[in-house]
Amino acid sequence: MPLSECLSFNECGFLWSPGPGRKGVDMLISSPLVIKGRVFPNRCSMSPMVPNCAGEDGSVTEAYRNFYLARARARVGYIVLGGVYVHENGKGFPRQLGIHSDAVKTGLSELAQALGKYSRVGVQLSFKSLQRLPEDFKESEIAVCRKAFVEAAVRARDCGFDAIELHACHDYWLNFFLSPHFNHRRDAYGGSLENRSRLLREIVRDIRSAVGDSMILGVRLSMEEFVEDGLTLSETLQVGTWLEKLGVDYLSASGGIGKTQHRMSPPMEVPRGSLLYLAEALKRSVSVPVIGVGRLDRPEVFRKAVEEGCADIAGVGRSLIADPEYVAKVLDGRDEDIRPCLACNYCLLCLHRGEDVRCAVNPLVGRDLYRPVPLRGRLNVLVVGAGPAGLAAAAAAAERGAAVRLVEKDAVPGGMLNAGKVPPHKEPIQEFIDYLVKRAAACGVEIVTGHAVEASDIRALAPDRVIVATGSASIALRADGLEGNERVVLVESLLRSGRISTGGRYIVVGGGAAGLETAEFIAENGGSVTVIEMTETLGRGLHATRLNLMLENLARLNVAVMPNTRLVSVDGGAVRAETPGGPVVLGPFDTIVMAVGYRSEATLSRGLDPRFAATVIGDALQPRSIYEAVKEGFDAAVALKA
Ligand SMILES: Cc1cc2nc3c(=O)[nH]c(=O)nc-3n(C[C@H](O)[C@H](O)[C@H](O)COP(=O)(O)OP(=O)(O)OC[C@H]3O[C@@H](n4cnc5c(N)ncnc54)[C@H](O)[C@@H]3O)c2cc1C
Ligand SMILES: Cc1cc2nc3c(=O)[nH]c(=O)nc-3n(C[C@H](O)[C@H](O)[C@H](O)COP(=O)(O)O)c2cc1C
Ligand code: SF4
């Protein structure tokens, strides 16, 4: 089935609609579950994720501990520490947690104890075999790795964890062996499903006999790999029944591999709950509890996963990065207080760059136990500009006790996000604007819209501090025929107007994220579109999970995307461009959409009396993205002194 087709509906038949949805504590999702005599306080689990903030030697750091502690304290029933490596050779990220040696045991024991006060805690035992496929492993090496898994499991038990989960999905070593796509061995570990699952079954058996019967043992599988010659659901259902017979206590139903990562951590382009059909199918064929996952990032879909029987336990990953209190808020019915995950996959982008995981919407990741420090005296703060930077700064400053006035020149807050929310699938951006505005108001910020602040206003108001969050302005491309050309429009103006003429001919100049999304928007609304991009890189800054889907959708919509193509001049509606094959004339076009980038707009801060101690943040400092805007807004508030 072509990808675009499978993404256009939900295979589970689990169609999410924002219906009334029951709330409150009487629901199944908030009821306890007992496995091996251990009580899970509710049916909500934190999916395994590598926050990439452990020590370089794999040890527990304060940042790592606090990341999980903030979530455990907020009522997550079951926390699975993500991708913990069992052997030095199976380490996949520079600051991944390890359980590979006795040297890390003290830190792990303390962690198990700290988290165990609040949640049941499991360790996901993992081995990432970078660039080495099953056929590259000699039997002697397999034996070494097998032993490493067993030793790690014993360490997990000795450190006081409740559970061990085997990482047998997403391109990890055990997944490689299971998968006909990766496993081309011709011995007892390759070929038939029985052979491909042999290693996993052997490790399960070894671990069970080493740790005894009281420890919970789970396995996480990529139930489908979504590649032509990959693992299929019928195969993994069979594996699930074999594992149950071997005494596995729960199964966790994920999906996808590296190539199909948009299935593993579905971006905003993929419908919510799209993997739940895998958990539902598994639940029908085994009797042990099953964890379901995959963009359960709004309370309705999260609750329904359990209430409607798709899964015994609902797993969330990114929603808990975005809001550590996601589970507590869902259980208490405080849905409207949730800081919404955008499914933008900026967190994965950080991980894949080898950096500590950070979140576009939550500036506290990395300092997870932050508590606002009250200011020592009264402080009047003027924040100029109500984009994400200004809104984040204003709320955090007011939370510290400052008297904050936030002034925005537009009629509505949100800044550039009011254009950014328009392209297809970007509704979560509006929800984030709503969250920011609501939070600022709740913290006591006075929000004034429809007034452009000038230097004279600042002198008249005489605040103690000014935070300049005035964003950016489009770069004007200089080329013959552009100036005064009525066909030329800026990308943000086009998006804000939302008007596309059906059958209209459009060219988008600039193939960055904004240009590509805008092309998608135009094409979805009946325009015909060409995109030209001067460099060879398309969608700069987008995670591959989003970029690949976007390019696929653009191809489906017959959008011509031309990298390495530089606009030279315009003649009416015709565009002359330079391509690697020589000069071309494109068009004619009815509309020429400029998406060539932004320059910071912070003129207000220049020449301002130093007594206002102005701080420039977000795009006003340098045009970037929501992550920097929110982080710098928050940092500016934290740095305030009375
Ligand atoms: C089409 C498009 C799509 C995008 N999509 C994404 C995305 O999906 N993810 C992402 O991370 N980033 C995205 N971005 C980038 C993102 O929108 C910006 O990085 C972010 O909005 C910057 O926030 P900011 O608060 O610094 O500035 P802005 O959002 O630009 O806000 C600045 C505000 O200041 C106001 N202002 C300016 N001067 C004054 C004044 N004198 N007085 C009062 N108010 C003033 C402006 O009206 C504006 O509301 C997108 C950008 C565009 C153009
Ligand atoms: C930053 C990050 C790291 C992840 N690391 C792991 C991992 O170590 N092991 C694993 O099985 N899945 C990992 N995942 C996948 C998540 O556990 C989860 O299955 C996926 O993100 C879908 O759930 P969500 O939509 O609630 O985020 C990771 C996801 C993210 C975003
Ligand atoms: S970075 Fe984006 S996808 Fe990741 S948790 Fe934050 S909002 Fe969600």
Side-chain angles (χ1 to χ4, degrees):
M1 188 189 321
L3 182 64
S4 46
E5 253 177 65
C6 30
L7 293 179
S8 61
F9 65 89
N10 184 326
E11 293 101 318
C12 184
F14 176 94
L15 285 175
W16 176 67
S17 61
R22 286 180 297 137
K23 289 181 185 175
V25 288
D26 59 328
M27 303 179 73
L28 185 58
I29 198 161
S30 51
S31 65
L33 180 76
V34 181
I35 307 180
K36 282 260 153 77
R38 294 176 197 244
V39 181
F40 290 65
N42 55 50
R43 312 298 184 95
C44 309
S45 102
M46 178 166 180
S47 304
M49 291 183 291
V50 174
N52 205 28
C53 59
E56 277 169 16
D57 58 354
S59 57
V60 177
T61 57
E62 200 184 335
Y64 190 94
R65 171 183 167 277
N66 292 352
F67 176 77
Y68 280 106
L69 201 52
R71 277 97 190 147
R73 282 180 183 168
R75 298 175 58 200
V76 177
Y78 180 39
I79 286 187
V80 188
L81 305 180
V84 185
Y85 63 92
V86 297
H87 190 284
E88 197 68 52
N89 295 347
K91 180 175 175 178
F93 301 99
R95 297 187 62 198
Q96 198 177 340
L97 188 71
I99 189 162
H100 57 301
S101 103
D102 287 345
V104 293
K105 270 177 83 175
T106 309
L108 287 171
S109 300
E110 286 165 6
L111 182 68
Q113 211 182 0
L115 302 181
K117 282 187 203 151
Y118 307 96
S119 299
R120 298 283 66 79
V121 190
V123 185
Q124 190 188 42
L125 302 185
S126 76
F127 187 97
K128 182 130 182 112
S129 89
L130 297 164
Q131 333 231 312
R132 292 188 73 208
L133 290 173
E135 67 244 45
D136 303 326
F137 283 81
K138 294 193 196 110
E139 289 223 10
S140 56
E141 284 179 283
I142 294 179
V144 169
C145 297
R146 242 175 96 171
K147 188 159 163 271
F149 269 98
V150 178
E151 286 173 353
V154 171
R155 273 182 210 111
R157 182 199 60 192
D158 294 349
C159 291
F161 289 102
D162 296 290
I164 297 155
E165 178 176 291
L166 292 177
H167 192 334
C169 47
H170 313 155
D171 276 7
Y172 276 65
W173 193 60
L174 292 174
N175 171 218
F176 274 179
F177 273 77
L178 272 178
S179 165
H181 179 67
F182 294 112
N183 185 345
H184 302 120
R185 291 179 76 99
R186 288 158 186 261
D187 60 3
Y189 290 114
S192 66
L193 180 63
E194 200 183 348
N195 281 356
R196 282 183 274 123
S197 63
R198 187 179 307 280
L199 178 63
L200 177 60
R201 289 183 289 115
E202 283 174 350
I203 290 178
V204 164
R205 246 187 246 119
D206 292 350
I207 289 182
R208 181 54 84 204
S209 70
V211 300
D213 204 38
S214 65
M215 185 105 188
I216 297 171
L217 176 54
V219 176
R220 195 171 208 218
L221 296 166
S222 282
M223 299 297 295
E224 290 220 47
E225 294 185 326
F226 305 107
V227 288
E228 224 160 69
D229 56 351
L231 264 176
T232 59
L233 183 56
S234 62
E235 286 188 313
T236 49
L237 290 178
Q238 176 62 68
V239 173
T241 57
W242 287 337
L243 293 173
E244 181 176 24
K245 281 204 187 102
L246 287 174
V248 161
D249 302 299
Y250 76 82
L251 291 163
S252 177
S254 187
I257 53 176
K259 279 182 192 162
T260 52
Q261 231 183 99
H262 57 280
R263 296 304 206 131
M264 172 192 112
S265 296
M268 56 181 89
E269 286 77 5
V270 178
R272 299 198 162 100
S274 65
L275 290 178
L276 281 177
Y277 77 104
L278 300 170
E280 200 183 26
L282 187 56
K283 214 165 113 61
R284 277 199 299 266
S285 76
V286 296
S287 51
V288 291
V290 169
I291 304 182
V293 73
R295 256 203 108 191
L296 309 182
D297 62 5
R298 293 298 178 267
E300 293 86 354
V301 71
F302 183 62
R303 290 190 189 100
K304 278 188 181 180
V306 171
E307 303 301 324
E308 297 194 352
C310 285
D312 298 293
I313 299 175
V316 278
R318 292 165 296 169
S319 307
L320 275 164
I321 300 183
D323 189 341
E325 296 183 359
Y326 181 75
V327 164
K329 289 174 183 172
V330 172
L331 293 179
D332 293 344
R334 287 187 290 136
D335 299 6
E336 54 289 343
D337 293 343
I338 291 169
R339 178 168 33 220
C341 169
L342 305 178
C344 63
N345 281 347
Y346 179 76
C347 45
L348 272 179
L349 194 70
C350 298
L351 182 62
H352 294 152
R353 290 197 294 224
E355 297 164 7
D356 295 16
V357 164
R358 293 289 179 260
C359 173
V361 299
N362 179 6
L364 290 181
V365 178
R367 43 186 159 177
D368 294 84
L369 296 188
Y370 166 87
R371 288 282 168 272
V373 180
L375 289 162
R376 290 226 178 122
R378 184 151 180 88
L379 199 73
N380 288 312
V381 179
L382 173 67
V383 181
V384 188
L391 284 163
E399 200 180 34
R400 294 192 58 207
V404 185
R405 184 177 288 181
L406 171 61
V407 186
E408 165 58 49
K409 73 172 178 201
D410 280 353
V412 289
M416 204 57 103
L417 295 185
N418 287 310
K421 72 186 183 190
V422 176
H425 319 293
K426 296 195 74 187
E427 305 78 20
I429 300 257
Q430 179 61 55
E431 294 172 56
F432 183 50
I433 300 173
D434 294 343
Y435 168 84
L436 286 172
V437 173
K438 200 171 154 220
R439 179 151 165 68
C443 291
V445 174
E446 182 194 347
I447 304 177
V448 179
T449 53
H451 182 89
V453 175
E454 294 177 12
S456 56
D457 292 317
I458 298 178
R459 283 194 295 275
L461 283 167
D464 301 310
R465 301 281 184 281
V466 178
I467 296 178
V468 179
T470 43
S472 59
S474 290
I475 292 172
L477 193 67
R478 284 183 213 286
D480 282 350
L482 278 179
E483 210 177 318
N485 189 330
E486 284 179 359
R487 297 172 199 243
V488 175
V489 60
L490 295 175
V491 71
E492 62 270 28
S493 314
L494 180 97
L495 289 173
R496 280 178 193 246
S497 81
R499 278 195 298 277
I500 301 299
S501 65
T502 310
R505 297 161 304 172
Y506 291 78
I507 182 166
V508 176
V509 183
L516 293 185
E517 288 180 344
T518 305
E520 215 179 353
F521 174 67
I522 297 168
E524 293 270 14
N525 286 283
S528 81
V529 200
T530 299
V531 181
I532 60 170
E533 162 58 43
M534 186 169 88
T535 69
E536 62 178 3
T537 308
L538 294 166
R540 195 180 294 278
L542 284 176
H543 188 259
T545 46
R546 296 197 55 210
L547 179 61
N548 295 342
L549 289 181
M550 210 181 270
L551 292 175
E552 206 171 300
N553 200 29
L554 289 171
R556 185 180 65 82
L557 293 163
N558 293 320
V559 174
V561 180
M562 302 174 64
N564 296 311
T565 302
R566 188 174 63 84
L567 181 144
V568 176
S569 66
V570 175
D571 183 4
V575 171
R576 285 179 205 286
E578 197 62 49
T579 72
V584 291
V585 179
L586 303 168
F589 300 100
D590 307 308
T591 310
I592 301 168
V593 186
M594 303 306 288
V596 293
Y598 295 84
R599 59 173 172 72
S600 56
E601 181 52 73
T603 37
L604 198 60
S605 66
R606 278 178 228 133
L608 213 56
D609 192 321
R611 80 190 141 106
F612 300 124
T615 309
V616 183
I617 57 170
D619 277 13
L621 189 63
Q622 190 191 328
R624 286 153 298 162
S625 67
I626 297 174
Y627 166 70
E628 290 84 0
V630 169
K631 177 183 178 298
E632 287 165 14
F634 183 79
D635 287 346
V638 170
L640 288 173
K641 286 196 180 76

